[in-house]
Amino acid sequence: TCALPISGGLVVEADGGNEVRAELFSDVVRAATPPDEVGESFGYVDPKVERLVRTFVRHGRLVSLPAQRGRRRTVLEHVACSFEPGVRYSEHEVDTVLHAWSTGCPVDHVALRRYLVDENLLDRAGGEYWRCGGWLDQ
């Protein structure tokens, strides 16, 4: 299950740049992460993945990233679901979304973008980025 697809005006132009509409971001996060008895539930079938993502994502924000590459990849796949497959994004749009994910996290949006590219979850060319890996909703 992917969280936070960019659609319906989540990212808008403002003051010569882009920004995440905070009210919509919060609504989408709540819809994508309904509470359960234990905490947030992301709907992953594998309880290990669910537990891992729940450990590092709180209220739609990254708390931190795991140091171990395999675990970090799983959390990054969750973040990559913020980008719709087949859609090209400017670097500024990508940074705007990742900034929303990384607010309060020791990993900034630039490092997060680099991790997504290095893990082949986002690709880039000519100043544009697109999702090229990760999980897909079915």
Side-chain angles (χ1 to χ4, degrees):
T1 303
C2 286
L4 303 176
I6 297 178
S7 61
L10 183 59
V11 175
V12 294
E13 287 188 41
D15 297 326
N18 294 321
E19 67 179 39
V20 172
R21 290 180 54 201
E23 71 280 3
L24 288 182
F25 186 78
S26 297
D27 291 345
V28 173
V29 168
R30 271 193 291 282
T33 57
D36 67 9
E37 321 67 67
V38 187
E40 293 176 323
S41 175
F42 298 98
Y44 291 108
V45 175
D46 185 339
K48 290 180 182 179
V49 172
E50 179 74 29
R51 199 168 34 256
L52 176 65
V53 172
R54 192 181 309 150
T55 299
F56 291 94
V57 176
R58 302 267 169 73
H59 308 292
R61 305 275 195 270
L62 286 173
V63 177
S64 64
L65 278 177
Q68 184 183 14
R69 184 174 182 253
R71 293 166 51 101
R72 184 173 56 239
R73 165 81 187 200
T74 299
V75 173
L76 290 170
E77 286 180 3
H78 181 77
V79 172
C81 290
S82 299
F83 303 96
E84 293 181 44
V87 176
R88 291 185 176 254
Y89 301 94
S90 69
E91 183 172 306
H92 191 70
E93 289 172 313
V94 171
D95 285 348
T96 301
V97 171
L98 296 180
H99 187 271
W101 272 104
S102 64
T103 299
C105 177
V107 177
D108 70 2
H109 67 283
V110 176
L112 192 53
R113 185 183 69 224
R114 170 65 59 203
Y115 279 127
L116 289 166
V117 170
D118 289 349
E119 289 292 339
N120 296 314
L121 296 168
L122 287 182
D123 205 351
R124 66 175 176 219
E128 292 184 318
Y129 290 77
W130 60 93
R131 185 168 154 202
C132 61
W135 302 311
L136 294 174
D137 282 333
Q138 293 197 27

